[in-house]
Amino acid sequence: GYTLTIDMNGMCMTSVSVIVPVYNTEVGLLQKCFDSLSAQSLDSAEFVVVDDGSNQGTADDCDRLAACDSRFKVIHQQNQGLAGARNTGLAAATGDYIVFVDSDDYIVGDSCLADVLDHMRSHDLDLVLHKIDARSNKNEFDISKGQGNDDVCLSIITQNDCYGNLYLGSAWSKMFRRSFLRDHGIEFDPRLRRTQDRLFMLVVFSNDPAYEIIDYVGYHYNVDNMDSLTHKYNPKNTDYLSLYMSEVQRFTDSFYAGDERFVKASKVLKASIFYQICSLDFFHPLNANSEGSKFRSYKSFVRGYVTTPGLLGTYSPTRIKRMLGFFPDHHLHLLSYVLLKAAFHVFYRGRQ
């Protein structure tokens, strides 16, 4: 069991606030998420569910599933996006520590919150990062090397922040001290509907938190949910990703101006964003625009993007224009291959 924290008035104090943003989540996934929270042995936890303008069915599911456990509280609001929903949860949270859980994921085991909280308190930390139960094909993060905050920020900027079953750039699979976030004014950028986690974590690490990475598996990330924001088509993805790139550039200019490591990292990010925009917008299978329309949008985007200083230095605007004019509409995918190959040439060169 876990001993409750009691204040001088005999009231139970909230130790951990778990923030769960929900937007039209399939009921089976939502129930699995809520069940994993209800199973937690930490009686002093609270589960702040933010229904971010879901359809009536999902809104009702939130109320029904939360009714079984008094630790739940459900907030219904108009749609503000994942960042806005998390900020609503932060504003409503009363716990000393914060955990973020996506509504299509779940917490592993029944003592995760208690175990991570115990480590946070016993080591007086602002942040704990733990592992998930799904692995990537990348190498393990070598904790023994003692990477500093700069190294972590470089990994996040280059989007090389996934090591085995440890994700550095996500808000989930972590526990934060709420006062650390509050005192540094850290919240999610509501303008971003993608990559908001990475920008959030960059700001966290730039404020020099006392943190540890622990060898503990406590989170399940649903990599197969094709309805998640990671996979959905949104015609504004180009705007969101471009804004993210601009914000990261502003971040590096503020904290690491003139640092050659971060200059190279920015080039890597630009090449990566180029690929993501192509795959999530112009060539997304759910993009219903005609091939001709997609091709024209793609040409306009590339003409502006390749003039970005330091991105495709060996591919002049004149050369790109000739390439664009050479390919007819029905060779759109061949054109994308040529340009993506050029981008990844710079991507790997920038990391050498």
Side-chain angles (χ1 to χ4, degrees):
Y2 189 84
T3 302
L4 296 178
T5 302
I6 307 295
D7 66 14
M8 291 186 296
N9 296 318
M11 300 294 291
C12 174
M13 298 175 63
T14 303
S15 56
V16 178
S17 296
V18 181
I19 297 171
V20 187
V22 178
Y23 180 71
N24 293 344
T25 306
E26 191 272 321
V27 64
L29 294 173
L30 191 63
Q31 175 145 16
K32 186 173 289 188
C33 176
F34 279 38
D35 286 349
S36 75
L37 297 175
S38 291
Q40 293 303 301
S41 61
L42 185 62
D43 291 334
S44 59
E46 68 172 359
F47 311 131
V48 183
V49 177
V50 182
D51 163 32
D52 190 40
S54 300
N55 59 47
Q56 191 60 50
T58 300
D60 291 343
D61 289 337
C62 289
D63 292 333
R64 176 177 55 82
L65 294 172
C68 66
D69 192 322
S70 62
R71 292 176 293 179
F72 280 95
K73 61 181 179 182
V74 180
I75 300 171
H76 299 280
Q77 67 177 27
Q78 293 185 342
N79 182 259
Q80 298 179 27
L82 179 61
R86 284 177 172 164
N87 288 341
T88 296
L90 280 171
T94 61
D96 294 329
Y97 299 90
I98 298 291
V99 168
F100 297 101
V101 175
D102 286 353
S103 58
D104 55 347
D105 301 336
Y106 57 84
I107 293 179
V108 175
D110 59 9
S111 63
C112 173
L113 295 180
D115 293 340
V116 178
L117 176 63
D118 181 66
H119 192 89
M120 288 280 286
R121 285 174 164 169
S122 62
H123 293 78
D124 193 25
L125 299 172
D126 300 313
L127 169 65
V128 161
L129 302 85
H130 59 80
K131 297 181 177 181
I132 68 172
D133 66 353
R135 295 183 55 83
S136 76
N137 58 1
K138 296 187 179 181
N139 295 327
E140 293 283 352
F141 190 77
D142 190 351
I143 303 173
S144 65
K145 289 184 177 180
Q147 284 91 341
N149 290 354
D150 289 3
D151 299 302
V152 174
C153 287
L154 284 168
S155 293
I156 295 173
I157 290 173
T158 58
Q159 302 189 350
N160 188 32
D161 51 357
C162 173
Y163 297 86
N165 54 354
L166 174 70
Y167 283 66
L168 300 177
S170 67
W172 36 260
S173 71
K174 297 167 182 64
M175 185 176 287
F176 304 84
R177 192 197 301 266
R178 184 162 69 101
S179 62
F180 174 83
L181 299 178
R182 183 188 62 231
D183 293 347
H184 291 92
I186 301 173
E187 61 179 12
F188 294 89
D189 189 332
R191 299 172 300 165
L192 293 173
R193 297 285 179 121
R194 300 189 65 88
T195 61
Q196 57 276 325
D197 282 31
R198 284 192 169 108
L199 187 59
F200 177 84
M201 292 307 301
L202 281 175
V203 177
V204 167
F205 281 111
S206 69
N207 281 283
D208 197 27
Y211 76 94
E212 287 186 9
I213 300 171
I214 60 175
D215 189 15
Y216 183 96
V217 175
Y219 192 89
H220 175 82
Y221 172 55
N222 187 3
V223 296
D224 298 322
N225 181 18
M226 296 305 294
D227 289 328
S228 72
L229 291 176
T230 305
H231 300 104
K232 281 184 175 179
Y233 169 68
N234 187 327
K236 294 185 178 181
N237 278 335
T238 296
D239 295 334
Y240 297 144
L241 289 168
S242 298
L243 175 60
Y244 169 70
M245 189 171 65
S246 298
E247 287 302 304
V248 171
Q249 188 62 58
R250 192 163 69 91
F251 168 84
T252 56
D253 290 343
S254 298
F255 290 94
Y256 299 101
D259 190 320
E260 186 60 29
R261 298 172 302 166
F262 284 86
V263 172
K264 289 183 177 180
S266 294
K267 292 180 181 180
V268 173
L269 174 63
K270 290 171 184 175
S272 177
I273 292 294
F274 178 87
Y275 167 77
Q276 291 178 60
I277 288 175
C278 289
S279 61
L280 291 170
D281 191 344
F282 305 112
F283 307 124
H284 195 286
L286 297 181
N287 184 340
N289 292 322
S290 67
E291 289 296 297
S293 175
K294 287 189 283 189
F295 182 62
R296 287 188 294 273
S297 298
Y298 184 71
K299 284 200 298 184
S300 177
F301 165 71
V302 171
R303 284 191 178 115
Y305 203 87
V306 297
T307 58
T308 302
L311 177 60
L312 301 177
T314 59
Y315 295 87
S316 68
T318 300
R319 185 175 179 185
I320 292 292
K321 186 175 181 180
R322 288 174 181 170
M323 291 168 62
L324 289 169
F326 178 76
F327 289 98
D329 289 3
H330 63 275
H331 284 163
L332 182 59
H333 293 284
L334 179 59
L335 171 62
S336 72
Y337 170 77
V338 172
L339 291 175
L340 290 178
K341 186 174 181 180
F344 277 102
H345 167 71
V346 177
F347 180 91
Y348 288 113
R349 186 179 65 184
R351 298 182 65 184
Q352 291 176 351

